Amino acid sequence: MVTVPSSAGAGPISHAIFRVARLHRMLAGQLLRRVGLHPGQELVMMQLWELGPQRQADLVRLLDSDAATMTRTVRRLESAGFVRRRPSPTDKRATIIEPTPASQALRREVERVWDELETLTTDGLTDAEREAAAGVLERFEAGLARANARMRA
């Protein structure tokens, strides 16, 4: 059991989420390095595999990213041969990002990594506990999204 510092005593759940998220991202990073990716790059690829070519601005919105981070991510994926960029035929200011045929082998590796990450994350939980945890996390996400929207308004 982790001792929550007294300064975080009013937020033990928030402290736990922070710790879990940090460890989860570290583990994801270790697993993704095996397939030549950094955390977050697989999320871009998942969107492209699922939705097909996308404007870079749409990827920013879909992944709640910022333009500079997305530009760096796309450049790295392009250098690795997993995506290509092309100008939009309808908007001279927009860039279309599309997965390359070479990325299809990566897709299988990313799916394998995510399966392993899920197994490691939920190790020791019953199916009912996994389902309950997913439900609670969805409620956390919904509440935080509402709070974020209110703060931006």
Side-chain angles (χ1 to χ4, degrees), residues 51-94:
L51 302 173
Q54 296 291 305
R55 291 181 329 139
Q56 187 163 321
D58 292 333
L59 288 170
V60 167
R61 182 184 47 76
L62 283 166
L63 295 169
D64 197 23
S65 182
D66 62 79
T69 299
M70 187 58 66
T71 297
R72 280 191 306 275
T73 298
V74 168
R75 280 190 186 136
R76 288 177 180 149
L77 290 168
E78 185 178 37
S79 292
F82 299 132
V83 302
R84 77 176 128 249
R85 292 185 288 177
R86 62 177 167 83
S88 168
T90 59
D91 181 351
K92 293 189 186 301
R93 299 167 297 161

Side-chain angles (χ1 to χ4, degrees), residues 3 5 13 20 24-25 33 46-47 59 63 66 72 77 84 102 105 114 117 126 131 138-139 152:
T3 303
I13 291 175
V20 168
H24 189 267
R25 185 169 175 86
R33 267 193 294 282
M46 287 174 176
Q47 291 295 334
L59 288 170
L63 295 169
D66 62 79
R72 280 191 306 275
L77 290 168
R84 77 176 128 249
W114 271 67
L117 182 59
T126 65
E131 191 173 318
E138 285 173 10
R139 290 173 56 197
R152 287 184 175 179

